[in-house]
DNA sequence: CTCAATTTAATTGTATACGATTAATTTTCT
DNA sequence: AGAAAATTAATCGTATACAATTAAATTGAG
């Protein structure tokens, strides 16, 4: 328990000691101190900036990251895709049906294990990657992102995710 | 334009020069290099961890951050709340109606300017703050978050948001 | 003073997102 | 082999989220 300037005990359940700072509980409830809120706003705002860039390709942000995953590894199950994208079948099934209707992927029930549906890029889906090369650049430009800041933030996030995921 | 080891020009539209690294466009399209995807996954996973903590109070994450905003500044318009939460009236109106039905807030059409609807905490809404004090601690605990990491990530995010918002 | 422009919240339509459940299939246990 | 358990994708219900539009009120220009 800590003792403040005038020598009185602080009530333990009203203070946290983090490094050198004492942060009281009112501070902890301020929006500016919410890590999750900052993450949430940041991701939403960037996704908004993706919108006009992805729109010419007929893609939403979720469709885009699904294709990113498939360009890395193709002919995978819905389950595998969900693990990589942190999405479940409730989200993926309608999304994949749309990408199929757009001609970017095929959904093929596996014959080896009929529980599995394999997701496979079509030629059009594979070819789309060529057009996608400009997307990261266009985003960095339109969102005014500094590459160095983005890189350090990204590595901080990866480290953080290691901590919190599956705990 | 850069020249590589064997003296040939690299195709400018296939390379980026960032600091000392040359990152080719295939790398740029990998999920692990997507800052937005990391933000998006991180915020979703943390919001998932909030769920069981907020559920006893009858709150969703959006309801929670709305109350956080109101505990800081009360009797505000929907517009003001939207500016602070980065949400528009399409999201807020139904959310605020629900918080009203739960007895946490009142929605009062302003008499000074009848376009405005003022959002005002009820006594129950103000009293809920006492129960909310434990939420940040509970989350940090259940999500296994290191306070020092969270603090540095948060400051990195605030700095980043300065860059990208309203550009 | 009056009409056009602006502002505000609500509404509508579309797209996510996830928990829970379901149906079909496969695996495991005995 | 055969029943129980586990796995997979799909479905259902609920909650976000946002762009675009609408309706009402206020402001501003002439």
């Amino acid at each position: 328990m800590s003792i403040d300037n005038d020598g009185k005990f602080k009530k333990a359940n009203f203070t946290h000691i983090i490094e050198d700072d004492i942060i009281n509980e009112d501070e902890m409830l301020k929006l500016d101190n919410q890590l999750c809120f900052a993450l949430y706003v940041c991701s939403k705002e960037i996704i908004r900036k993706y919108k006009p860039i992805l729109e010419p390709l007929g893609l939403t942000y979720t469709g885009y990251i699904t294709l990113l995953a498939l360009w890395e590894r193709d002919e995978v199950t819905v389950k595998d895709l969900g693990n990589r994208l942190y999405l479940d079948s409730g989200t993926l099934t309608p999304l994949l049906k749309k990408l199929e209707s757009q001609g970017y992927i095929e959904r093929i029930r596996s014959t080896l294990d009929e529980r599995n549906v394999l997701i496979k890029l079509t030629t059009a889906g594979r070819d789309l990657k060529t057009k996608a090369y400009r997307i990261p650049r266009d985003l960095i430009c339109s969102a005014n992102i500094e590459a160095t800041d983005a890189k350090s933030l990204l590595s901080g996030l990866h480290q953080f995710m290691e901590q919190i995921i599956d705990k």
Side-chain angles (χ1 to χ4, degrees), chain A:
Chain A
M1 187 172 294
S2 65
I3 298 175
D4 62 13
N5 295 344
D6 54 47
K8 296 210 176 114
F9 288 110
K10 285 172 182 281
K11 283 186 252 173
N13 60 339
F14 272 72
T15 59
H16 289 285
I17 298 164
I18 294 170
E19 284 180 271
D20 298 332
D21 302 326
I22 293 167
I23 296 178
N24 74 34
E25 286 180 317
D26 270 311
E27 283 298 314
M28 296 285 277
L29 289 183
K30 290 199 170 149
L31 270 186
D32 272 351
N33 292 325
Q34 304 298 314
L35 174 58
C36 183
F37 179 64
L39 293 165
Y40 159 87
V41 170
C42 246
S43 74
K44 281 197 313 172
E45 292 300 313
I46 301 181
I47 288 170
R48 185 206 310 283
K49 289 176 195 298
Y50 267 111
K51 220 159 270 179
I53 297 170
L54 296 175
E55 202 250 349
L57 306 180
L59 294 175
T60 61
Y61 183 70
T62 326
Y64 173 59
I65 59 174
T66 303
L67 288 176
L68 289 184
L70 291 172
W71 288 328
E72 283 187 60
R73 187 147 39 92
D74 194 6
E75 249 171 295
V76 293
T77 64
V78 174
K79 182 81 174 177
D80 175 83
L81 212 44
N83 287 339
R84 288 194 281 154
L85 296 173
Y86 295 86
L87 294 171
D88 72 2
S89 66
T91 304
L92 282 174
T93 296
L95 172 67
L96 294 170
K97 282 180 179 172
K98 196 191 167 196
L99 288 173
E100 186 180 40
S101 79
Q102 291 176 298
Y104 293 141
I105 64 166
E106 285 179 302
R107 297 161 63 243
I108 304 158
R109 182 70 63 172
S110 167
T111 48
L112 268 81
D113 183 340
E114 296 206 356
R115 288 170 305 183
N116 291 319
V117 167
L118 296 176
I119 307 302
K120 199 170 172 310
L121 286 166
T122 60
T123 308
R126 251 187 315 278
D127 289 352
L128 195 63
K129 192 176 181 183
T130 312
K131 287 191 187 167
Y133 282 130
R134 61 175 294 123
I135 294 173
R137 260 177 305 167
D138 285 355
L139 182 84
I140 286 168
C141 183
S142 89
N144 212 41
I145 292 171
E146 280 295 326
T148 52
D149 295 342
K151 277 175 68 178
S152 67
L153 198 47
L154 183 58
S155 74
L157 282 166
H158 282 160
Q159 200 184 321
F160 186 73
M161 276 175 59
E162 288 271 310
Q163 271 181 45
I164 66 161
I165 299 286
D166 288 333
K167 290 280 161 64

